[in-house]
Amino acid sequence: MRGKPMTIRPRRSALYMPASNLRAIDKARSLPCDVVIFDLEDAVAPEAKTEARANAVAAVRDGGFGNRELVIRVNALGTPWAEDDLAAAATSGADAILAPKVSDPESVRRYHAAIAAAPAATGFWAMVETTRAIFRLDAIAEAMTARPGAFVLGTNDLAKEMGARLTVERTPFLGMMAMAVAAAKGHGLAILDGVYNAFDDEAGLDRQCAEAKAYGFDGKTLIHPRQIDPANRAFSPDAAEIAWARAAVDGFAAPENAGKGAIRVGGEMVERLHLDQARAILAMADIG
């Protein structure tokens, strides 16, 4: 069953910030990313987990991030920190809670139960980063529709588990990427691409962003502030997309096209079912 339609909200650039680093958190308030992910998991050493949790909650409550979407990535169920992380994140006022290593629908249900105290508008985002998850993507996405949701691809963990090489081209992962997008969009979820580790390689980042946009991803997760501008450019509608969308919307609104299922826009036929896509492009153009 298809989930609720996605809210048009920019998620072109989602920057991971180690919540143990107060200076990084403060810097995030002035960065042009669409999403700030306060990380309690991979980027935080075990001895700093408690401090990082307190920092993340304080940052969300103190505010000063403008329109940026604020997400807390918790430690996974089964770890010593998960219960406290989930309880704190649920009542923090964060826009969403990001859970690592979600491999099956039962994990989703357990996370949802753990954050039951969170407002209904608090989103639940799931890392797609295990081989077991790849074969359960549709079921995982369906289980997530009780809250606003998103998939976040975790290519580093997938590569490690598979023993695969994580190159710029990402050849071993292309099929998984397409499957993840199909499952997410089929249930009304957003989806963000995995990180690109070589933060000094803008050409490589540009290539991965262009590829991800072509596949239908809404944005890319990032590990360094210098990756923000390239991601924002890549996932913003370009002039040609905006022109097509405006022509499609105006064309179907014309009296002579009332009731038509398809019209000619430029050199191609556009069906009425493409109207939602056109409107989404124009909404993103207004945001950007």
Side-chain angles (χ1 to χ4, degrees):
M1 181 177 181
R2 183 178 174 85
K4 300 174 184 177
M6 289 179 294
T7 301
I8 301 300
R9 184 165 189 172
R11 296 181 174 116
R12 302 165 298 178
S13 52
L15 181 66
Y16 286 109
M17 281 287 184
S20 55
N21 188 332
L22 286 174
R23 184 176 178 183
I25 289 174
D26 188 57
K27 183 177 182 180
R29 290 182 167 90
S30 62
L31 295 174
C33 54
D34 293 329
V35 183
V36 177
I37 302 175
F38 301 108
D39 193 11
L40 310 183
E41 196 215 11
D42 284 347
V44 179
E47 62 272 15
K49 297 284 191 184
T50 300
E51 178 186 5
R53 181 191 307 128
N55 290 346
V57 171
V60 172
R61 291 178 176 169
D62 291 346
F65 293 90
N67 293 325
R68 296 167 188 82
E69 195 167 10
L70 304 182
V71 179
I72 297 177
R73 179 163 74 166
V74 297
N75 287 280
L77 287 170
T79 66
W81 312 282
E83 184 177 352
D84 288 340
D85 283 356
L86 288 160
T91 57
S92 67
D95 294 298
I97 297 165
L98 174 58
K101 297 177 176 60
V102 176
S103 295
D104 51 48
E106 179 56 29
S107 295
V108 174
R109 288 187 279 271
R110 289 174 63 198
Y111 276 114
H112 278 189
I115 61 171
T122 301
F124 175 76
W125 294 13
M127 296 292 304
V128 176
E129 56 183 351
T130 69
T131 52
R132 290 185 67 242
I134 298 303
F135 297 98
R136 297 167 173 82
L137 288 168
D138 186 67
I140 292 170
E142 185 174 17
M144 289 173 58
T145 55
R147 288 183 177 274
F151 275 171
V152 179
L153 207 63
T155 40
N156 281 336
D157 282 83
L158 278 169
K160 179 181 178 181
E161 191 172 324
M162 293 168 58
R165 289 189 62 202
L166 190 55
T167 61
V168 177
E169 296 80 11
R170 299 191 292 184
T171 306
F173 307 96
L174 297 181
M176 302 175 199
M177 291 167 60
M179 289 168 60
V181 171
K185 298 302 176 74
H187 292 281
L189 308 181
I191 183 165
L192 301 180
D193 191 19
V195 300
Y196 184 54
N197 299 316
F199 56 82
D200 284 328
D201 178 15
E202 187 168 330
L205 176 63
D206 287 343
R207 176 170 181 164
Q208 286 201 353
C209 286
E211 179 181 71
K213 183 177 180 180
Y215 271 62
F217 284 86
D218 299 294
K220 191 165 182 67
T221 48
L222 313 172
I223 59 171
H224 196 281
R226 71 179 61 176
Q227 296 178 315
I228 295 172
D229 287 341
N232 284 346
R233 288 195 304 270
F235 288 97
S236 294
D238 61 28
E241 290 174 299
I242 294 169
W244 172 86
R246 186 166 290 117
V249 170
D250 291 347
F252 278 111
E256 62 270 22
N257 292 326
K260 287 185 179 179
I263 61 173
R264 184 183 179 92
V265 175
E268 64 179 17
M269 295 302 295
V270 175
E271 298 181 5
R272 190 169 289 274
L273 61 86
H274 293 121
L275 260 180
D276 285 346
Q277 178 186 359
R279 290 170 178 147
I281 289 171
L282 294 179
M284 279 296 296
D286 288 341
I287 290 169

